[in-house]
Amino acid sequence: MTESYDALWKAEASTGRALCTIVDEEILKSEQQTPRSLETPDGRVVLLVDGMTAVKEQGDTIVLTKPINGSDLVSVVNDLETMAVRRDRA
């Protein structure tokens, strides 16, 4: 299941139950304040960047440089799911 939002603050309530949050860096430029859900080390964020901006990776942030192939994004999400299942079983 996926959910889509046009502002990060609208997505904050769902980030706790989500496998990951996929964020395009363009929205970060328009948001005045980065939500806490993207600052926490266990946020599992996939950040889509254009490669022109210096990105500070932290926690479980995965950076994909645009243009991306859809299969790259699916692969990252599948890997996150596999890791989550293993962690839950441990």
Side-chain angles (χ1 to χ4, degrees), residues 12-73:
E12 280 191 3
S14 357
T15 57
R17 66 180 184 272
L19 174 66
C20 67
T21 303
I22 301 170
V23 179
D24 191 299
E25 74 171 340
E26 291 301 312
I27 195 118
L28 296 176
K29 295 174 185 176
S30 65
E31 297 279 336
Q32 290 183 353
Q33 185 176 10
T34 303
R36 284 188 221 160
S37 58
L38 298 182
E39 296 174 345
T40 59
D42 60 347
R44 296 177 321 271
V45 174
V46 178
L47 183 61
L48 308 178
V49 302
D50 64 12
M52 303 299 287
T53 307
V55 177
K56 179 183 170 192
E57 290 189 35
Q58 60 184 10
D60 288 337
T61 302
I62 297 168
V63 176
L64 292 179
T65 304
K66 300 182 287 185
I68 63 166
N69 182 327
S71 63
D72 293 338
L73 184 55

Side-chain angles (χ1 to χ4, degrees), residues 4-10 27 30-31:
S4 177
Y5 301 93
D6 60 354
L8 289 172
W9 66 270
K10 293 178 183 178
I27 195 118
S30 65
E31 297 279 336

